[in-house]
Amino acid sequence: MTDTVETRLAAAGLVLPALVAPRGNFQPCTLAGDLLYLSGKGLPSRDAGTVPVPKVGGQVSVAQARAHAHDIALYQLAVVKQALGDLERIAQVVKVFGMVNAVPDFTEHTEVVNGFSDLWVQLLGERGRHARSAIGVGSLPMGFAVEIEAVVRFR
């Protein structure tokens, strides 16, 4: 068996989620030359039927927010797969920008966004290492705990 992103996903017991249409007048991603720009993505709470997640560092723990970032990483990989047809076309993850909907005195933004970064490095190896920013924000759409966008160079 060849060592690919798809085989690493399967070995980790992970499945790329189904994509949903954006809730606005924008695309999930845009191709420009050999770069794929991924729109910011947040996800509602894992608990079906609950209201969107409240503030990280308040009602949402770092571990819970990190799990959201992990789920966003899977979703964004699904966007890449749809756009490129094959995850092996990823040459390098260039930049990741993570926003954490946090209480004002929260300082663990990097730990939250590591949920995204760690998974992409696990699945993509050195191609997954990237420049990154992780910031706190006062709010995010739909009360998301985390929203993450990325830039990927492809072959």
Side-chain angles (χ1 to χ4, degrees):
M1 183 180 272
T2 308
D3 185 29
T4 65
V5 177
E6 297 280 351
T7 59
R8 290 177 187 170
L9 275 164
L14 299 172
V15 176
L16 295 179
L19 300 179
V20 296
R23 300 182 90 170
N25 192 15
F26 65 93
Q27 295 297 316
C29 62
T30 298
L31 292 165
D34 65 349
L35 295 176
L36 178 64
Y37 291 83
L38 301 174
S39 294
K41 180 64 181 169
L43 297 172
S45 174
R46 290 179 172 195
D47 303 321
T50 62
V51 296
V53 294
K55 298 281 188 181
V56 180
Q59 304 88 341
V60 176
S61 71
V62 171
Q64 290 169 314
R66 184 182 170 99
H68 280 270
H70 176 275
D71 291 349
I72 293 167
L74 282 174
Y75 190 91
Q76 292 288 43
L77 279 174
V79 172
V80 172
K81 184 173 181 180
Q82 182 181 56
L84 302 180
D86 184 354
L87 294 173
E88 294 312 305
R89 291 186 63 196
I90 297 171
Q92 183 67 52
V93 180
V94 177
K95 174 75 175 181
V96 169
F97 179 66
M99 296 159 276
V100 180
N101 184 2
V103 296
D105 61 347
F106 186 74
T107 61
E108 297 178 75
H109 307 86
T110 57
E111 293 304 314
V112 170
V113 181
N114 279 345
F116 184 101
S117 297
D118 291 350
L119 183 62
W120 275 34
V121 171
Q122 174 189 344
L123 296 173
L124 296 165
E126 287 303 310
R127 296 180 294 155
R129 295 202 186 279
H130 50 268
R132 186 181 84 183
S133 298
I135 66 166
V137 296
S139 67
L140 286 171
M142 298 179 60
F144 296 144
V146 183
E147 182 174 344
I148 300 175
E149 62 183 49
V151 180
V152 175
R153 187 171 55 84
F154 64 93
R155 303 183 217 340

